[in-house]
Amino acid sequence: MQLDKDSILAANGSLHNHEADFNHLAEKLSRSHTDVEALVKKIADFQVAVPSWALGAGGTRFGRFSFHGEPATLEQKIADVGILHALTQTAGAVSLHIPWDVPTDYAAVKQIADQNGIVFDAINSNTFQDQPGAKLSYKHGSLANTDEAIRAQAVEHNHEVVRIGEKLGSKSLTVWLADGTSFPGQRSFQKALAQTEKSCKEIYAGMPDDWSLLIEYKPYEPNFYSTVIMDWGTSFMLANACGERAYTLVDLGHHLPNSNIEQVVATLMAKGKLGGFHFNDSKYGDDDLTVGSIKPYALFLIFNELVYGMEHNPQNPDLAWMIDASHNVKDPLEDLIQSLEAIQEAYAKALLVDQKALAAAQLNHDVVQCQEILQGAYRTDVRPLLERARLSRGGALDPLGAYRTLRVREGLIGERGKHTVATGL
Ligand code: LRH
Ligand code: MN
């Protein structure tokens, strides 16, 4: 299934209200000398990678409730990302997970991606599950395992993932380690860290010179007492140990309650070691909920640091913007449309922060004014800018509305039937 521009244009209907809302906002923003056209272009150029493992229904150990019309092949997954991109014009990339998405026909996969304007962002390895026919088990860890042969198997898997990514045009590898313990005394923290560092260096050494290594941290789950790469500091240390093309990946759900993630982001950018994001939201743990559905202001504060960093930290690389979510009760494509909207909205609001005025107020210790400047931007309804950015690229005025008006899910069920199951979590 592919959505053509004409059907989206038809679904957009009249642009009268949009024009009125946009002109009203543009007039308001021009009073503070904001270059509205430049703003719209920045928003339109902002592309987020969709996780290949989140195009079907997610689930928990307590159950999984299927969603009909799920993509059963990698080609169908990329077609679904194409639908998201056609509607939102901000989903021009996909992040694959190996072995859930091993291409069987590279040419076909690349052709569908090209047809849909989709590029391949970071590719993810998986040493948190045993694969059918695997010689050695990762039950007690992979890159940190006490057993040299198991560590070697895990390092080789990561090199295999890089080889797959190279054929597709990816330029970065994401490593997330489940390795850890569920009981005190189960492992030596120091030996586990040392072995992980050695393994990461071996992975890094096997990457092409123009590739980046993104090291994702997480405090717990599936181990519930310790995780070897538990926080940004550990990931930062390992990235420094590996080399200049190794960075930290921040998954928003991988923080203990009340963590100040915006400060983590500012710190990593200042050190030139922030490589990318897994956007999602959470109330308690690694809930992988819709971006901006629980803590939208926190997301805005993170983007405020990102906008500052992109302006002032040339030492930090271009960031990998990716979603990492799981859909237990929502249509996966509707959930992802909402997440993409929330990310664009937080970015647009952050672009409205008058960084010069904020810096001046900070210098004067005018704490009240600092908050007023931030919240002034946050309280601005930027949706007409997002609409204009989408329309400027042939996208939908209202992606969710168009998705339903065009009966996309029904169309996918018609094509794929009710019982297809997407690989992934
Ligand atoms: C771990 C994680 C990691 C992925 C997985 C699908 O919680 O965030 O990024 O490999 O989810
Ligand atoms: Mn993640």
Side-chain angles (χ1 to χ4, degrees), residues 23-111:
N23 295 337
H24 171 71
L25 178 58
E27 190 277 325
K28 182 168 175 281
L29 294 176
S30 58
R31 278 186 244 141
S32 53
H33 316 298
T34 302
D35 179 342
V36 176
E37 284 320 309
L39 200 53
V40 168
K41 183 172 183 328
K42 269 191 176 173
I43 295 165
D45 291 345
F46 189 86
Q47 297 296 314
V48 178
V50 172
S52 64
W53 60 91
L55 292 162
T60 72
R61 58 187 165 161
F62 302 106
R64 180 180 184 281
F65 303 93
S66 176
F67 228 94
H68 306 314
E70 294 189 16
T73 65
L74 178 54
E75 288 79 356
Q76 289 181 350
K77 286 187 176 190
I78 293 172
D80 284 8
V81 177
I83 289 170
L84 291 174
H85 192 43
L87 292 169
T88 67
Q89 291 298 318
T90 190
V94 65
S95 179
L96 299 189
H97 217 297
I98 305 295
W100 295 334
D101 304 307
V102 178
T104 49
D105 179 341
Y106 281 88
V109 166
K110 288 170 83 169
Q111 190 200 13

Coordinates of all heavy atoms in Angstrom, one line a residue, residues 23-111:
N23 N -1.3 32.6 9.5 CA -1.1 34.0 9.3 C -1.1 34.7 10.7 O -0.3 35.6 11.0 CB -2.1 34.6 8.3 CG -1.9 34.1 6.9 OD1 -0.8 33.6 6.6 ND2 -3.0 34.0 6.2
H24 N -2.1 34.3 11.5 CA -2.2 34.9 12.9 C -0.9 34.6 13.6 O -0.3 35.5 14.2 CB -3.3 34.2 13.6 CG -3.4 34.6 15.1 ND1 -3.8 35.9 15.5 CD2 -3.1 33.9 16.2 CE1 -3.7 35.9 16.8 NE2 -3.3 34.7 17.3
L25 N -0.4 33.4 13.6 CA 0.9 33.0 14.3 C 2.1 33.8 13.7 O 2.9 34.3 14.5 CB 1.1 31.5 14.3 CG 2.4 31.0 15.0 CD1 2.4 31.4 16.5 CD2 2.5 29.5 14.9
A26 N 2.1 33.8 12.4 CA 3.3 34.4 11.7 C 3.3 35.9 12.1 O 4.4 36.4 12.4 CB 3.1 34.2 10.2
E27 N 2.2 36.5 12.2 CA 2.1 38.0 12.5 C 2.7 38.1 13.9 O 3.5 39.0 14.2 CB 0.7 38.5 12.4 CG 0.5 40.0 12.5 CD 0.5 40.4 14.0 OE1 0.0 39.7 14.8 OE2 1.1 41.5 14.3
K28 N 2.2 37.2 14.8 CA 2.6 37.3 16.3 C 4.2 37.1 16.3 O 4.9 37.8 17.0 CB 1.9 36.2 17.1 CG 2.2 36.2 18.5 CD 1.2 35.2 19.3 CE 1.5 35.1 20.7 NZ 2.6 34.1 20.9
L29 N 4.7 36.1 15.6 CA 6.1 35.8 15.7 C 7.0 36.9 15.0 O 8.1 37.2 15.5 CB 6.4 34.4 15.0 CG 5.8 33.2 15.7 CD1 6.0 31.9 14.9 CD2 6.3 33.0 17.1
S30 N 6.4 37.5 14.0 CA 7.2 38.5 13.3 C 7.4 39.7 14.3 O 8.4 40.5 14.1 CB 6.5 39.0 12.0 OG 5.2 39.4 12.4
R31 N 6.5 39.9 15.2 CA 6.7 41.0 16.2 C 8.0 40.8 17.0 O 8.6 41.8 17.4 CB 5.5 41.0 17.2 CG 4.3 41.7 16.6 CD 3.2 41.9 17.7 NE 2.0 41.1 17.3 CZ 1.2 40.4 18.1 NH1 1.6 40.3 19.4 NH2 0.2 39.8 17.7
S32 N 8.4 39.5 17.2 CA 9.7 39.3 17.9 C 10.8 39.0 16.9 O 11.7 38.2 17.2 CB 9.5 38.2 18.9 OG 8.9 37.0 18.3
H33 N 10.6 39.5 15.7 CA 11.6 39.4 14.6 C 12.0 37.9 14.3 O 13.1 37.6 14.0 CB 12.8 40.2 15.0 CG 12.5 41.5 15.6 ND1 11.8 42.5 14.8 CD2 12.6 42.0 16.8 CE1 11.6 43.6 15.6 NE2 12.1 43.3 16.8
T34 N 11.1 37.0 14.5 CA 11.3 35.6 14.1 C 11.2 35.4 12.6 O 10.2 35.9 12.0 CB 10.3 34.7 14.9 OG1 10.4 34.9 16.3 CG2 10.6 33.2 14.5
D35 N 12.2 34.8 12.0 CA 12.1 34.5 10.5 C 11.2 33.2 10.4 O 11.7 32.1 10.4 CB 13.5 34.3 10.0 CG 13.5 33.9 8.5 OD1 12.4 33.5 8.0 OD2 14.5 34.0 7.8
V36 N 10.0 33.4 10.1 CA 9.0 32.3 10.1 C 9.3 31.3 9.0 O 9.2 30.1 9.2 CB 7.5 32.9 10.0 CG1 6.6 31.7 9.9 CG2 7.2 33.7 11.2
E37 N 9.7 31.8 7.8 CA 10.0 30.9 6.7 C 11.1 30.0 7.1 O 11.1 28.8 6.8 CB 10.3 31.7 5.4 CG 9.0 32.3 4.8 CD 7.8 31.3 4.8 OE1 8.0 30.1 4.4 OE2 6.7 31.6 5.3
A38 N 12.2 30.6 7.7 CA 13.3 29.8 8.1 C 12.9 28.7 9.1 O 13.4 27.6 9.1 CB 14.4 30.7 8.7
L39 N 12.0 29.2 10.0 CA 11.5 28.2 11.1 C 10.8 27.1 10.4 O 11.1 25.9 10.7 CB 10.6 29.0 11.9 CG 10.2 28.6 13.3 CD1 11.5 28.4 14.2 CD2 9.3 29.6 14.0
V40 N 9.9 27.3 9.5 CA 9.2 26.3 8.8 C 10.1 25.3 8.1 O 10.0 24.1 8.1 CB 8.2 26.9 7.8 CG1 7.6 25.8 6.9 CG2 7.0 27.6 8.6
K41 N 11.2 25.9 7.5 CA 12.1 25.0 6.7 C 12.9 24.1 7.7 O 13.1 22.9 7.5 CB 13.1 25.9 5.9 CG 14.1 25.0 5.1 CD 15.0 25.8 4.2 CE 15.9 24.8 3.3 NZ 16.3 23.6 4.0
K42 N 13.3 24.7 8.9 CA 14.0 23.9 9.9 C 13.1 22.7 10.3 O 13.6 21.5 10.4 CB 14.4 24.7 11.1 CG 15.8 25.4 11.0 CD 16.2 25.9 12.3 CE 17.6 26.5 12.3 NZ 18.0 27.2 13.5
I43 N 11.8 23.0 10.5 CA 10.9 22.0 11.0 C 10.7 20.9 9.9 O 10.8 19.7 10.1 CB 9.6 22.6 11.4 CG1 9.7 23.5 12.6 CG2 8.5 21.5 11.7 CD1 8.6 24.5 12.8
A44 N 10.6 21.4 8.7 CA 10.4 20.5 7.5 C 11.6 19.6 7.3 O 11.5 18.4 6.9 CB 10.0 21.3 6.3
D45 N 12.8 20.1 7.5 CA 14.0 19.4 7.3 C 14.3 18.3 8.4 O 15.2 17.5 8.2 CB 15.2 20.3 7.2 CG 15.2 21.2 6.0 OD1 14.4 20.8 5.0 OD2 15.9 22.2 5.9
F46 N 13.6 18.4 9.5 CA 13.8 17.6 10.7 C 13.3 16.2 10.4 O 12.0 16.0 10.3 CB 13.2 18.2 11.9 CG 13.6 17.6 13.2 CD1 14.8 17.9 13.9 CD2 12.8 16.6 13.8 CE1 15.2 17.3 15.1 CE2 13.2 16.0 15.0 CZ 14.3 16.3 15.6
Q47 N 14.1 15.2 10.3 CA 13.6 13.8 10.0 C 13.9 12.9 11.1 O 15.0 12.9 11.7 CB 14.3 13.4 8.7 CG 13.9 14.2 7.5 CD 12.4 14.1 7.2 OE1 11.9 13.0 7.1 NE2 11.8 15.3 7.0
V48 N 13.0 12.0 11.5 CA 13.1 11.1 12.6 C 13.0 9.7 12.0 O 12.2 9.4 11.1 CB 11.9 11.3 13.6 CG1 12.0 10.3 14.7 CG2 11.9 12.7 14.1
A49 N 13.8 8.8 12.6 CA 13.8 7.4 12.1 C 12.8 6.6 12.9 O 12.7 6.7 14.1 CB 15.2 6.8 12.3
V50 N 12.0 5.8 12.2 CA 11.0 5.0 12.8 C 11.6 3.6 13.1 O 12.3 3.1 12.3 CB 9.8 4.8 11.8 CG1 8.8 3.8 12.3 CG2 9.1 6.2 11.5
P51 N 11.3 3.1 14.3 CA 11.9 1.8 14.6 C 11.2 0.6 13.9 O 9.9 0.5 13.9 CB 11.6 1.7 16.1 CG 10.4 2.5 16.4 CD 10.5 3.6 15.3
S52 N 11.9 -0.2 13.2 CA 11.3 -1.3 12.5 C 10.6 -2.3 13.4 O 9.7 -3.1 13.0 CB 12.4 -2.1 11.7 OG 13.3 -2.7 12.7
W53 N 11.0 -2.3 14.7 CA 10.4 -3.2 15.6 C 9.1 -2.7 16.3 O 8.6 -3.4 17.2 CB 11.4 -3.6 16.7 CG 11.9 -2.4 17.5 CD1 11.4 -2.0 18.7 CD2 13.0 -1.6 17.2 NE1 12.1 -0.9 19.2 CE2 13.1 -0.6 18.3 CE3 14.0 -1.5 16.2 CZ2 14.1 0.3 18.3 CZ3 14.9 -0.5 16.2 CH2 15.0 0.4 17.3
A54 N 8.7 -1.6 15.8 CA 7.4 -1.0 16.5 C 6.4 -0.8 15.4 O 5.7 0.2 15.5 CB 7.8 0.3 17.2
L55 N 6.2 -1.6 14.4 CA 5.2 -1.4 13.4 C 4.1 -2.5 13.5 O 3.1 -2.5 12.8 CB 5.9 -1.5 12.0 CG 6.8 -0.4 11.7 CD1 7.8 -0.7 10.6 CD2 6.0 0.9 11.4
G56 N 4.3 -3.3 14.5 CA 3.2 -4.2 14.9 C 2.8 -4.0 16.3 O 3.3 -3.0 17.0
A57 N 1.9 -4.8 16.9 CA 1.5 -4.6 18.3 C 2.6 -5.0 19.2 O 3.3 -6.0 18.9 CB 0.2 -5.4 18.5
G58 N 2.8 -4.2 20.2 CA 3.8 -4.6 21.2 C 3.1 -5.5 22.2 O 2.1 -6.1 22.0
G59 N 3.8 -5.7 23.4 CA 3.1 -6.6 24.4 C 4.0 -6.6 25.6 O 5.1 -6.0 25.6
T60 N 3.5 -7.3 26.6 CA 4.3 -7.4 27.8 C 4.2 -8.9 28.2 O 3.6 -9.7 27.5 CB 3.7 -6.6 29.0 OG1 2.5 -7.3 29.4 CG2 3.4 -5.2 28.6
R61 N 4.9 -9.3 29.3 CA 4.9 -10.7 29.7 C 3.4 -11.1 30.1 O 3.1 -12.3 30.2 CB 5.9 -10.9 30.9 CG 5.6 -10.1 32.1 CD 6.7 -10.2 33.1 NE 6.7 -9.2 34.2 CZ 7.3 -9.3 35.3 NH1 8.0 -10.4 35.6 NH2 7.3 -8.3 36.2
F62 N 2.6 -10.1 30.3 CA 1.2 -10.4 30.7 C 0.3 -10.5 29.5 O -0.9 -10.8 29.6 CB 0.7 -9.3 31.7 CG 1.6 -9.2 32.9 CD1 2.5 -8.1 33.0 CD2 1.6 -10.1 33.8 CE1 3.3 -8.0 34.1 CE2 2.4 -10.0 35.0 CZ 3.3 -8.9 35.1
G63 N 0.9 -10.3 28.3 CA 0.0 -10.5 27.1 C 0.3 -9.6 26.0 O 1.0 -8.6 26.2
R64 N -0.2 -10.0 24.8 CA 0.0 -9.2 23.6 C -1.3 -9.3 22.8 O -1.8 -10.4 22.6 CB 1.2 -9.8 22.8 CG 1.5 -9.1 21.5 CD 2.7 -9.8 20.8 NE 3.1 -9.0 19.6 CZ 2.4 -9.1 18.4 NH1 1.4 -9.9 18.3 NH2 2.8 -8.4 17.4
F65 N -1.8 -8.1 22.4 CA -3.1 -8.1 21.7 C -2.8 -7.7 20.3 O -2.5 -6.5 20.1 CB -4.1 -7.2 22.5 CG -4.3 -7.6 23.9 CD1 -3.5 -7.1 24.9 CD2 -5.2 -8.6 24.2 CE1 -3.7 -7.5 26.3 CE2 -5.3 -9.1 25.6 CZ -4.6 -8.5 26.6
S66 N -2.9 -8.6 19.4 CA -2.5 -8.3 18.0 C -3.3 -7.2 17.4 O -4.4 -6.8 17.8 CB -2.7 -9.5 17.1 OG -2.3 -9.1 15.8
F67 N -2.7 -6.6 16.4 CA -3.3 -5.5 15.6 C -3.4 -6.0 14.2 O -2.4 -6.5 13.6 CB -2.5 -4.2 15.6 CG -3.4 -3.1 16.0 CD1 -3.5 -2.7 17.2 CD2 -4.1 -2.5 15.0 CE1 -4.4 -1.6 17.5 CE2 -5.0 -1.5 15.3 CZ -5.1 -1.0 16.6
H68 N -4.5 -6.0 13.6 CA -4.6 -6.6 12.3 C -3.9 -5.8 11.2 O -3.7 -4.6 11.3 CB -6.1 -6.7 12.0 CG -6.9 -7.5 13.0 ND1 -6.4 -8.6 13.6 CD2 -8.0 -7.2 13.7 CE1 -7.2 -9.1 14.5 NE2 -8.2 -8.2 14.6
G69 N -3.5 -6.6 10.1 CA -2.8 -5.9 9.0 C -1.4 -5.5 9.3 O -0.8 -4.6 8.7
E70 N -0.8 -6.2 10.3 CA 0.6 -5.9 10.6 C 1.5 -6.3 9.4 O 1.2 -7.2 8.7 CB 1.0 -6.7 11.9 CG 0.3 -6.3 13.1 CD 0.9 -7.0 14.4 OE1 2.1 -7.5 14.3 OE2 0.3 -7.0 15.4
P71 N 2.7 -5.6 9.3 CA 3.6 -6.0 8.3 C 4.3 -7.3 8.6 O 4.9 -7.5 9.7 CB 4.6 -4.8 8.3 CG 4.6 -4.3 9.7 CD 3.1 -4.5 10.1
A72 N 4.3 -8.3 7.7 CA 4.9 -9.6 8.0 C 6.3 -9.7 7.4 O 7.0 -10.7 7.7 CB 4.0 -10.6 7.3
T73 N 6.7 -8.8 6.6 CA 8.0 -8.8 5.9 C 8.7 -7.5 6.1 O 8.1 -6.5 6.4 CB 7.9 -9.1 4.4 OG1 7.3 -7.9 3.8 CG2 7.1 -10.3 4.1
L74 N 10.0 -7.4 5.9 CA 10.8 -6.2 6.0 C 10.3 -5.2 4.9 O 10.1 -4.0 5.2 CB 12.3 -6.4 5.8 CG 13.2 -5.2 5.8 CD1 13.0 -4.3 7.1 CD2 14.7 -5.6 5.7
E75 N 10.0 -5.7 3.7 CA 9.5 -4.9 2.7 C 8.2 -4.2 3.1 O 8.0 -3.0 2.9 CB 9.2 -5.7 1.4 CG 10.5 -6.2 0.7 CD 11.2 -7.4 1.3 OE1 10.7 -7.8 2.4 OE2 12.2 -7.8 0.8
Q76 N 7.3 -5.0 3.8 CA 6.0 -4.4 4.2 C 6.2 -3.3 5.3 O 5.6 -2.3 5.4 CB 5.1 -5.5 4.7 CG 4.5 -6.3 3.5 CD 3.5 -7.4 4.1 OE1 3.4 -7.7 5.3 NE2 2.9 -8.1 3.1
K77 N 7.3 -3.6 6.2 CA 7.6 -2.6 7.2 C 8.0 -1.3 6.6 O 7.6 -0.2 7.0 CB 8.7 -3.2 8.1 CG 8.3 -4.3 9.1 CD 9.4 -4.7 10.0 CE 9.0 -5.7 11.1 NZ 10.1 -5.9 12.1
I78 N 8.9 -1.4 5.6 CA 9.3 -0.1 5.0 C 8.2 0.6 4.3 O 8.1 1.8 4.3 CB 10.5 -0.4 4.1 CG1 11.7 -0.9 4.9 CG2 10.9 0.8 3.2 CD1 12.9 -1.4 4.2
A79 N 7.3 -0.2 3.7 CA 6.1 0.4 3.1 C 5.3 1.1 4.1 O 4.8 2.3 3.9 CB 5.2 -0.7 2.4
D80 N 5.2 0.6 5.3 CA 4.4 1.2 6.4 C 5.1 2.5 6.8 O 4.5 3.5 7.1 CB 4.2 0.3 7.6 CG 3.2 -0.7 7.3 OD1 2.7 -0.8 6.2 OD2 2.8 -1.5 8.3
V81 N 6.5 2.5 6.9 CA 7.2 3.7 7.2 C 7.0 4.7 6.1 O 6.8 5.9 6.3 CB 8.7 3.4 7.4 CG1 9.5 4.7 7.6 CG2 9.0 2.5 8.5
G82 N 6.8 4.2 4.9 CA 6.5 5.1 3.7 C 5.2 5.8 3.9 O 5.0 7.0 3.6
I83 N 4.2 5.1 4.4 CA 2.9 5.7 4.7 C 3.0 6.8 5.7 O 2.5 7.9 5.5 CB 1.9 4.6 5.2 CG1 1.5 3.6 4.0 CG2 0.6 5.2 5.8 CD1 0.8 2.4 4.5
L84 N 3.8 6.5 6.8 CA 4.0 7.5 7.8 C 4.7 8.8 7.2 O 4.3 9.9 7.5 CB 4.9 7.0 8.9 CG 4.2 5.9 9.8 CD1 5.3 5.3 10.8 CD2 3.1 6.4 10.6
H85 N 5.7 8.5 6.4 CA 6.4 9.6 5.8 C 5.5 10.4 4.8 O 5.6 11.7 4.8 CB 7.7 9.2 5.1 CG 8.6 10.2 4.7 ND1 8.9 11.3 5.6 CD2 9.3 10.5 3.6 CE1 9.8 12.1 5.0 NE2 10.0 11.6 3.8
A86 N 4.7 9.7 4.0 CA 3.8 10.4 3.1 C 2.9 11.4 3.8 O 2.7 12.5 3.4 CB 3.0 9.4 2.3
L87 N 2.4 10.9 5.0 CA 1.4 11.7 5.7 C 2.1 12.9 6.5 O 1.7 14.0 6.5 CB 0.7 10.8 6.7 CG -0.3 9.8 6.0 CD1 -0.8 8.8 7.1 CD2 -1.5 10.6 5.4
T88 N 3.3 12.5 7.2 CA 3.9 13.5 8.1 C 5.1 14.3 7.5 O 5.5 15.3 8.0 CB 4.4 12.7 9.3 OG1 5.5 11.9 8.9 CG2 3.4 11.9 10.0
Q89 N 5.7 13.7 6.5 CA 6.9 14.3 5.8 C 8.0 14.5 6.8 O 8.9 15.3 6.6 CB 6.5 15.6 5.1 CG 5.6 15.4 3.9 CD 6.3 14.6 2.8 OE1 7.5 14.7 2.5 NE2 5.5 13.6 2.3
T90 N 8.0 13.7 7.9 CA 9.1 13.9 8.9 C 9.6 12.5 9.4 O 10.4 12.4 10.3 CB 8.6 14.7 10.2 OG1 9.7 15.0 11.0 CG2 7.6 13.9 11.0
A91 N 9.2 11.4 8.7 CA 9.6 10.1 9.0 C 10.4 9.5 7.9 O 10.2 8.3 7.4 CB 8.4 9.2 9.3
G92 N 11.4 10.2 7.4 CA 12.2 9.8 6.2 C 13.3 8.8 6.5 O 14.3 8.8 5.7
A93 N 13.2 8.0 7.5 CA 14.3 7.1 7.9 C 13.7 5.9 8.7 O 12.7 6.1 9.3 CB 15.4 7.8 8.6
V94 N 14.4 4.8 8.6 CA 14.0 3.6 9.4 C 15.2 3.1 10.1 O 16.4 3.2 9.6 CB 13.4 2.5 8.5 CG1 14.4 2.0 7.5 CG2 12.8 1.4 9.4
S95 N 15.0 2.6 11.3 CA 16.1 2.0 12.1 C 15.8 0.5 12.2 O 14.8 0.1 12.8 CB 16.2 2.7 13.5 OG 17.3 2.1 14.3
L96 N 16.7 -0.3 11.7 CA 16.4 -1.8 11.6 C 17.0 -2.4 12.9 O 18.0 -1.9 13.5 CB 17.0 -2.4 10.4 CG 16.5 -1.9 9.0 CD1 17.1 -2.8 7.9 CD2 15.0 -1.9 9.0
H97 N 16.5 -3.6 13.2 CA 17.0 -4.4 14.3 C 17.3 -5.8 13.8 O 16.4 -6.5 13.2 CB 15.9 -4.5 15.4 CG 16.4 -4.4 16.8 ND1 17.2 -5.4 17.3 CD2 16.2 -3.5 17.8 CE1 17.5 -5.0 18.6 NE2 16.9 -3.9 18.9
I98 N 18.5 -6.3 14.1 CA 18.9 -7.6 13.6 C 19.1 -8.6 14.7 O 19.7 -8.2 15.7 CB 20.3 -7.4 12.9 CG1 20.2 -6.4 11.8 CG2 20.8 -8.8 12.3 CD1 19.3 -6.7 10.6
P99 N 18.5 -9.7 14.6 CA 18.0 -10.4 13.4 C 16.5 -10.3 13.1 O 16.0 -11.0 12.2 CB 18.4 -11.9 13.7 CG 18.1 -12.0 15.2 CD 18.6 -10.7 15.8
W100 N 15.8 -9.4 13.8 CA 14.4 -9.3 13.5 C 14.1 -8.9 12.0 O 13.1 -9.2 11.5 CB 13.7 -8.3 14.4 CG 13.7 -8.7 15.9 CD1 13.8 -10.0 16.4 CD2 13.7 -7.8 17.0 NE1 13.8 -9.9 17.7 CE2 13.7 -8.6 18.1 CE3 13.6 -6.4 17.1 CZ2 13.7 -8.1 19.4 CZ3 13.5 -5.9 18.4 CH2 13.6 -6.7 19.5
D101 N 15.1 -8.1 11.4 CA 14.9 -7.6 10.1 C 16.0 -7.9 9.1 O 16.4 -7.0 8.3 CB 14.7 -6.0 10.2 CG 13.7 -5.6 11.1 OD1 12.5 -6.1 11.0 OD2 14.0 -4.8 12.1
V102 N 16.5 -9.1 9.1 CA 17.5 -9.5 8.1 C 16.9 -9.5 6.7 O 16.0 -10.2 6.4 CB 18.1 -10.8 8.4 CG1 19.2 -11.2 7.4 CG2 18.7 -10.8 9.8
P103 N 17.4 -8.6 5.8 CA 16.9 -8.6 4.4 C 17.1 -9.9 3.7 O 18.2 -10.5 3.8 CB 17.7 -7.5 3.8 CG 18.2 -6.6 4.9 CD 18.5 -7.6 6.0
T104 N 16.1 -10.4 3.0 CA 16.3 -11.6 2.1 C 16.6 -11.1 0.7 O 17.4 -11.8 0.0 CB 15.0 -12.4 2.1 OG1 13.9 -11.5 1.8 CG2 14.8 -13.0 3.5
D105 N 16.2 -9.9 0.3 CA 16.4 -9.4 -1.0 C 16.8 -7.9 -0.9 O 16.0 -7.0 -0.8 CB 15.2 -9.5 -1.9 CG 15.4 -9.0 -3.3 OD1 16.3 -8.2 -3.5 OD2 14.6 -9.3 -4.2
Y106 N 18.1 -7.7 -0.8 CA 18.6 -6.3 -0.5 C 18.2 -5.3 -1.6 O 17.7 -4.2 -1.3 CB 20.2 -6.3 -0.5 CG 20.7 -6.8 0.9 CD1 21.0 -8.1 1.1 CD2 21.0 -5.9 1.9 CE1 21.4 -8.6 2.3 CE2 21.4 -6.3 3.1 CZ 21.7 -7.7 3.3 OH 22.1 -8.1 4.5
A107 N 18.2 -5.8 -2.9 CA 17.8 -4.9 -3.9 C 16.3 -4.5 -3.8 O 16.0 -3.3 -3.9 CB 18.0 -5.6 -5.3
A108 N 15.5 -5.4 -3.4 CA 14.0 -5.1 -3.3 C 13.8 -4.2 -2.1 O 13.1 -3.2 -2.2 CB 13.3 -6.4 -3.1
V109 N 14.5 -4.4 -1.0 CA 14.4 -3.6 0.2 C 14.8 -2.1 -0.1 O 14.2 -1.2 0.2 CB 15.2 -4.2 1.3 CG1 15.4 -3.2 2.5 CG2 14.6 -5.5 1.8
K110 N 16.0 -2.0 -0.8 CA 16.5 -0.7 -1.1 C 15.5 0.0 -2.1 O 15.3 1.2 -2.0 CB 17.9 -0.8 -1.7 CG 18.9 -1.1 -0.6 CD 20.3 -1.4 -1.1 CE 21.1 -0.2 -1.4 NZ 22.5 -0.5 -1.7
Q111 N 15.0 -0.7 -3.0 CA 14.1 -0.1 -4.1 C 12.8 0.4 -3.4 O 12.5 1.6 -3.6 CB 13.7 -1.2 -5.1 CG 13.0 -0.5 -6.3 CD 12.2 -1.6 -7.1 OE1 12.0 -2.7 -6.6 NE2 11.7 -1.2 -8.3

